[in-house]
Amino acid sequence: MDKQAEIKSVLNTQSFINEIQEMIKECYADIENSNPEDVATRERAYQRIKAIDSMMTRLQSVVDSDKIKDKSWTIL
């Protein structure tokens, strides 16, 4: 199985999706439950959310790379 197919398989796995959603929920809970003066906790949670989003975007772009290549040929 090639890299693209492996990543697509993982991204389509419900347990993986659930785990990512749970991680994001935990970050939002950290933000919601932090004290007003606890900026560091909120910043850490925000950075984790951004890292998760960045990772998911990167993985999705690997999966979609062939779609983009196919569309570029139709333009020419």
Side-chain angles (χ1 to χ4, degrees):
M1 190 181 290
D2 67 338
K3 178 172 94 169
Q4 185 180 24
E6 288 179 18
I7 292 172
K8 185 175 183 177
S9 175
V10 169
L11 289 178
N12 291 328
T13 305
Q14 191 59 46
S15 59
F16 178 76
I17 294 168
N18 291 345
E19 195 60 36
I20 293 296
Q21 289 172 343
E22 188 62 33
M23 289 170 60
I24 293 171
K25 283 181 190 177
E26 288 172 6
C27 292
Y28 281 116
D30 287 346
I31 293 169
E32 290 173 359
N33 297 324
S34 66
N35 293 321
E37 65 278 353
D38 200 358
V39 176
T41 297
R42 289 190 298 279
E43 184 65 25
R44 212 171 18 257
Y46 173 76
Q47 292 299 326
R48 285 181 62 204
I49 292 168
K50 295 302 286 180
I52 293 166
D53 287 344
S54 178
M55 178 192 69
M56 294 301 289
T57 300
R58 174 68 182 258
L59 293 174
Q60 191 62 50
S61 73
V62 170
V63 171
D64 293 341
S65 65
D66 278 348
K67 292 178 188 176
I68 294 168
K69 287 178 188 174
D70 290 343
K71 287 184 180 184
S72 69
W73 283 109
T74 59
I75 294 171
L76 300 175

